[in-house]
Amino acid sequence: MLSLKEITASTMILFSVIDILGNIPYIIKIRKGHCGVQSGKATVISAILMVGFLFMGESLLQFLGLDTSSFTIAGAIVMFIIAMEMIMGISLIREDSLSSCSSSIVPLAFPLIAGAGTLTTIISLRSVYEIPNILLGIILNIIIIYGVFRSSTWLEQKIGNTGFSIMRKVFGIVVLAIAIKIVKSNLFI
């Protein structure tokens, strides 16, 4: 049964975990690369990953012999690396030479948007809320994500390089703190 309270809660929880606004500096960095960002492709792949994980996530992890804590810690390590890139202005993740124009998929669709944190959150939401309400929360987040992708050029013009440089470092520290918190909470359960 649809519940406005559950839809709102699912939407807000996923929005905070995905942190699309905090990822704007990273999106702009990728957009400036030689392939740019394919907004539609990144959004659709993120949606497929999130909806797929809503329905098959727990079964997939069990089939692979993984628990959600291990999956979450792996995602936190990726977040840690991305945070270090943002803070230090360096590139630790080099592009795959075989698929040099896959930046809309990796790292945008996965792991930035539909990463381990998001996918684990979706599994957690299933234990609290009805699936249709979570699904609507995912759809609302996908619409917001697409809007941010499409407006990243406009946002860059309004905020400027210096503003984004500051944002990148500040959000990098926030992402780093979230990654450390995730590891701490999953190692000491």
Side-chain angles (χ1 to χ4, degrees):
M1 182 152 116
L2 291 179
S3 162
L4 184 59
K5 181 180 177 182
E6 287 189 11
I7 294 167
T8 304
S10 296
T11 302
M12 296 308 295
I13 291 167
L14 285 170
F15 182 79
S16 65
V17 170
I18 294 168
D19 190 26
I20 191 65
L21 298 178
N23 286 316
I24 290 173
Y26 204 73
I27 293 166
I28 289 171
K29 177 185 173 192
I30 292 170
R31 183 179 50 81
K32 288 182 176 181
H34 68 284
C35 293
V37 171
Q38 297 170 342
S39 305
K41 186 177 184 179
T43 305
V44 167
I45 290 170
S46 298
I48 290 169
L49 287 169
M50 287 191 275
V51 171
F53 219 78
L54 175 63
F55 293 103
M56 300 179 298
E58 279 186 75
S59 300
L60 177 64
L61 290 178
Q62 287 175 354
F63 176 75
L64 297 172
L66 298 172
D67 57 78
T68 53
S69 290
S70 299
F71 189 74
T72 304
I73 290 171
I77 291 169
V78 173
M79 288 172 63
F80 179 87
I81 293 169
I82 290 169
M84 294 307 291
E85 286 184 331
M86 293 170 73
I87 295 166
M88 299 179 144
I90 58 174
S91 182
L92 298 173
I93 302 173
R94 62 184 177 92
E95 288 202 23
D96 185 357
S97 60
L98 297 175
S99 58
S100 60
C101 287
S102 67
S103 60
S104 292
I105 300 168
V106 177
L108 288 182
F110 183 83
L112 279 181
I113 297 167
T118 303
L119 300 179
T120 304
T121 300
I122 289 170
I123 289 175
S124 300
L125 290 174
R126 275 194 66 169
S127 66
V128 181
Y129 302 129
E130 298 288 326
I131 289 178
N133 298 321
I134 301 168
L135 185 60
L136 284 171
I138 291 170
I139 291 168
L140 290 171
N141 272 284
I142 290 299
I143 292 167
I144 294 167
I145 289 164
Y146 182 74
V148 169
F149 280 151
R150 297 294 296 167
S151 63
S152 64
T153 302
W154 178 81
L155 290 168
E156 181 183 24
Q157 290 171 351
K158 294 297 177 194
I159 297 173
N161 288 334
T162 304
F164 272 115
S165 179
I166 293 167
M167 276 181 64
R168 185 178 305 113
K169 295 196 185 314
V170 169
F171 282 117
I173 291 170
V174 171
V175 170
L176 183 62
I178 291 169
I180 290 169
K181 180 181 178 184
I182 289 170
V183 170
K184 278 177 37 180
S185 66
N186 282 280
L187 283 179
F188 306 111
I189 40 179

